[in-house]
Amino acid sequence: VMFSGHVDSWYYGATDNAAANSVMMEVGRLAFQHKDKMERNLRLVFYSGHSHGRYAGSSWYADNYWEELHDHCFINIDLDVLGFKGADFIASAVMPEAASVVSDAVEKIANKTFTVRRYNRFADQSYWGVGITAALASFSRVKLQPDSKDIELGWWWHTPYDTVDKIDPHNLLRDGRILSVIVMRFCTSPIIPLDFRASINEIESSLENWQKQASDLFDLTV
C-alpha cells in the first residue's frame, strides 16, 4: 500500500501541502504501532516536483521503480490539501474499485456523503502504465454555495497567505481519522478490498454514453 504526497509548496504551503504531510507521518506512526495486524506493507512516499515540475517526482519514481511497483503495489493513496477552515465538503478523485472503502470511511468518521470525482491527469497520478489503483488527491473542500457544484481549496490556495492560521484543528483531526481508516483497511484486510465490478460498470456506462453521442456514425456494439 503506497501512501504518497508532495512536499514542495507555493510560498508557505500550510494547507498545501504541510497539513497532508503531517497526516501521512501520523498515519505511518499509528500503522507501525499496529504492525502485528498488517497483512501487507505500507510505504510512505514524499515527492518533490509536484507543482514546479508538474509531477516530475512521481514520474521519476514510476519510471525508476516500475518493476517493483508493478509486482508488489496495488494501490496508491495520494494526499493533498485537507483540514483547512471551512472545509466541510469531502470530495476527491478515486478509481471506482476503491470508492466503497473511501465512502465507508467518510460516512463512519464524519457522517458525511463522499462525492466521487473521476481521475484525470493531476495529483501526481503518474502510474497509469504501472497498473496501480489510484485513490484520492486534494481531499476536503469549501463549497461556494449550498446548492452549487463549485468547490474550492480556499482563497489562499497557491498564494503567500497559505499560512498555519488557515488550518482548522477539528477538520485536520477529522480528515486524519478518515485517512487512517482508509489506509489501515487496505493494509489489514485479509482480502484486498477492491471491487472491480464498479470499474466494469463505469466502463460500460462510458461506452454507452459515447455510443449515444456517436449515434449512427460509429458502432461500439460487439
Side-chain angles (χ1 to χ4, degrees):
V1 177
M2 181 160 61
F3 192 23
S4 64
H6 69 90
V7 294
D8 57 328
S9 298
W10 294 100
Y11 309 102
Y12 297 107
T15 66
D16 183 14
N17 199 31
N21 297 152
S22 68
V23 167
M24 288 176 63
M25 291 188 288
E26 178 64 5
V27 171
R29 184 187 71 83
L30 293 172
F32 184 78
Q33 289 184 344
H34 299 281
K35 60 182 180 179
D36 58 314
K37 299 180 178 64
M38 304 275 274
E39 295 287 340
R40 48 199 67 90
N41 294 332
L42 173 64
R43 176 174 294 182
L44 271 62
V45 183
F46 296 88
Y47 307 120
S48 186
H50 169 85
S51 295
H52 58 272
R54 203 57 179 171
Y55 321 135
S58 55
S59 296
W60 178 92
Y61 190 66
D63 289 344
N64 286 270
Y65 290 86
W66 194 96
E67 289 84 0
E68 181 182 8
L69 292 168
H70 179 269
D71 293 344
H72 299 290
C73 183
F74 71 90
I75 190 167
N76 176 38
I77 303 168
D78 185 75
L79 197 54
D80 208 329
V81 187
L82 82 173
F84 59 86
K85 290 183 176 180
D88 57 355
F89 185 73
I90 301 178
S92 191
V94 60
M95 289 185 176
E97 62 269 22
S100 63
V101 172
V102 177
S103 297
D104 288 348
V106 171
E107 183 176 353
K108 178 180 180 181
I109 300 299
N111 195 29
K112 292 179 178 291
T113 300
F114 176 69
T115 300
V116 176
R117 303 178 67 201
R118 197 173 192 277
Y119 252 108
N120 53 25
R121 182 72 173 90
F122 78 122
D124 281 298
Q125 173 51 294
S126 301
Y127 302 101
W128 301 105
V130 185
I132 298 173
T133 293
L136 307 185
S138 49
F139 190 64
S140 52
R141 296 159 178 263
V142 172
K143 205 164 187 180
L144 298 183
Q145 299 292 335
D147 298 325
S148 172
K149 293 183 179 180
D150 293 327
I151 50 179
E152 292 290 346
L153 299 176
W155 61 263
W156 54 83
W157 182 59
H158 284 187
T159 76
Y161 300 98
D162 187 6
T163 48
V164 70
D165 58 295
K166 306 306 186 303
I167 297 173
D168 183 318
H170 172 78
N171 288 346
L172 185 61
L173 179 60
R174 175 202 65 197
D175 293 350
R177 285 174 170 167
I178 294 170
L179 267 298
S180 297
V181 171
I182 293 169
V183 170
M184 293 304 289
R185 174 93 182 272
F186 283 115
C187 286
T188 62
S189 296
I191 298 174
I192 294 174
L194 293 178
D195 185 357
F196 285 95
R197 293 172 298 181
S199 307
I200 294 170
N201 290 338
E202 183 187 74
I203 293 170
E204 288 182 341
S205 177
S206 296
L207 288 173
E208 289 171 357
N209 179 55
W210 281 112
Q211 182 63 78
K212 182 178 180 180
Q213 294 185 58
S215 187
D216 297 332
L217 298 175
F218 195 83
D219 186 5
L220 289 172
T221 60
V222 176

